Amino acid sequence: MKFSIGVILITQILFNAVNTVFAFELNTSISKNKVELKELISLCGQKYKANEMDSALFYINAALDKAQHVQDSHLFLVCYNYKGVILKEQSKYDLCLQAYNDALRYLPKEEYNINRLKLLLNIAIVHRKQGQFSKALLVLDNTLKNSESYPKSKTLASCFDEFGMILKNEKSERALLFLNKALEMRKELGNKRSIAKSYTNLGSFYNMRKNYSKALFYYKKSLELNEELKYRKSISVVCTNIGNLYLKIEKIDSAQIYYNRSLDIKEVIGDRNGEAVVCTSMGELYAMNKEYKKAENYLMRANRIAEEIEVLYLQQEINLQLKNLYAAQSKGKEALAYYDKYISIKDSIFNTENMQHMQEMETRYQTREKEQKIEVLNIEKEAKEKESFYMKIVLGVFLFSLLPIGFFVKQRQKTRILKERVAASNRECTKLGMELHDSISGSLTYLYRSMEKESVEDSFVDQLRQVSDEVRGISHQLNMTAIANQEFRDALSDSLQLDHFPDDIDLKIYVPDGFEIDDYEKKINLIRIVQELKTNSLKHGNASSIVISFSRLQNKVGLEYTDNGIGFDMKEAKKGNGLININERVELLSGKLDWQTSPGNGVSFHLTV
């Protein structure tokens, strides 16, 4: 008996010893991984400051792999936040948003601490850089409300600043209010780097308003602070801004000084994208000054960099500048070659965006189809349950209950058919637009360029070029995917072909600042309604004046369209395809419509959806 107890005690002691050794080794391993993880984060920071973004991303991805073994939520948060910042610098905005949202997962949902606010602010900045201003404002509004817990904080000041930048892009006068609020708060906090950023943003605001003296004042205040802080990246940005301003007002020598300074810094810090941008501006500067050889050297240098870093938008701008440069020297062959490249890149960008959004729309369509099928199944299930219930009570009550169900099913069937017809119409428009763009427009372009080479009469070539541009414009106008992808104001402008609108028609368009329609089906159908109305006014109404006005009241959108044409008889017009298309789209939108027209009295169209 004593022997057995002894064996048990010895076994227990050995077991505890093994557990202690194992725990020690585990803690040692975790501690070692933490040290290595922090070293990787530190290396990432060093590469980021040196503007070596690819290397910085490599180290932060290695850090995230290491973080899996440490299971420290704070370090996960740091890694994902760093990754988001790096991807933002590389303009990889979708991946950047993914990283920021991954970081949010490691924060308690019920807490609105300063880390959450910083992440939300970064997400808003990315949306602004993507041009998605409405999304950015929604995130900022949420951030601003919860920033009140941190009065006079850097985050709150940054929220004001970001609000100002978005409103500036939307050309709203309220932008100045928020930019000044941010500046005042940053001055109170004494953060010089942030104050310099506020000065730069105020300079951009006044530059956009063409108040160049005030813009220059704020740019130079920003430059002074950044020079004091020896923050080279911001110095180069401000120098570029000042160079651009001087170029606008044609002070060539002053612009050249600031461009050269910016270019020197960008070469040192390895900012290849920035280097290409400044070289492009230098090319434009020397072209204006008729120093064509220098202009050519800078534009060629910019083009090489843009091709190396594969930035299509930059390549597009540079090829257009090269075309203009050679055209100014009457070098038709070279000008034509670069114009071909410009068109090719422009079409490549258009087709890439078009394909991406076609895929997005297809995914949305499939999702909605699945949701509708589930909804139908649920309705059928509910109807069967009700049927069973009412059968037990009384057959008459059951039959009475079938009436609203029958009406609902009939209405649903009618709506489904209407949706399919409108969707088919939109698909046909998009298909026709792409065919015009890819075949007829290309053939016309080839034809007038061939005639240019054969020295055909200039007036005829110009007319043919104009026809080619109009066909290209019509193709973009018909492409519903491209329209859905644009901001509302730009989509409306393209769909009405304002660049080719008749000069003898007095057209007025009123769209409020910040007006946007997030529902892409509503957006497309409203724009198609305006297109139909415009066609009727010009083709049948002989109108000389058209007024189009959009408004928003709470969650409703209002459209008012009037012209001074000859009007029409509503009873007769109901037979026409134009009015049928408009009424179908209004019905699909569940809109409230009011037509006012009669022969000789123009058209007044009021729609609320």
Side-chain angles (χ1 to χ4, degrees), residues 54 89 190 295 424 489 503 601:
D54 289 335
E89 287 291 326
R489 191 186 296 268
D503 294 332
N601 292 313

Side-chain angles (χ1 to χ4, degrees), residues 35 184 314 336 358 388 433 483:
V35 171
E184 288 166 15
L314 198 49
L336 185 59
M358 282 288 281
S388 174
I483 287 174

Side-chain angles (χ1 to χ4, degrees), residues 450-472:
S450 298
M451 288 181 175
E452 283 179 328
K453 293 176 183 177
E454 297 295 329
S455 302
V456 176
E457 186 180 343
D458 288 346
S459 61
F460 181 75
V461 173
D462 288 340
Q463 287 175 10
L464 195 57
R465 184 186 292 108
Q466 186 177 354
V467 171
S468 175
D469 290 342
E470 286 179 5
V471 170
R472 188 179 296 276

Side-chain angles (χ1 to χ4, degrees), residues 334-398:
E334 291 86 347
L336 185 59
Y338 281 103
Y339 186 69
D340 282 338
K341 287 184 180 180
Y342 163 76
I343 291 293
S344 175
I345 294 168
K346 185 178 180 181
D347 289 348
S348 177
I349 292 169
F350 177 81
N351 290 332
T352 301
E353 290 177 347
N354 189 39
M355 183 60 69
Q356 288 172 348
H357 290 283
M358 282 288 281
Q359 289 170 353
E360 287 175 13
M361 288 175 71
E362 182 66 25
T363 302
R364 287 179 190 170
Y365 176 76
Q366 289 174 358
T367 304
R368 290 188 182 190
E369 283 287 297
K370 288 177 183 176
E371 289 172 353
Q372 286 173 357
K373 285 179 182 177
I374 292 168
E375 190 178 346
V376 169
L377 288 171
N378 288 335
I379 289 170
E380 289 175 353
K381 182 181 177 183
E382 188 178 345
K384 285 179 181 178
E385 289 173 354
K386 284 183 179 179
E387 181 184 350
S388 174
F389 175 73
Y390 287 122
M391 280 293 289
K392 292 176 183 178
I393 300 171
V394 61
L395 184 60
V397 174
F398 169 71

Side-chain angles (χ1 to χ4, degrees), residues 417-428:
I417 293 168
L418 191 57
K419 275 187 176 182
E420 287 175 356
R421 284 174 62 181
V422 172
S425 172
N426 288 339
R427 284 195 297 272
E428 283 302 312

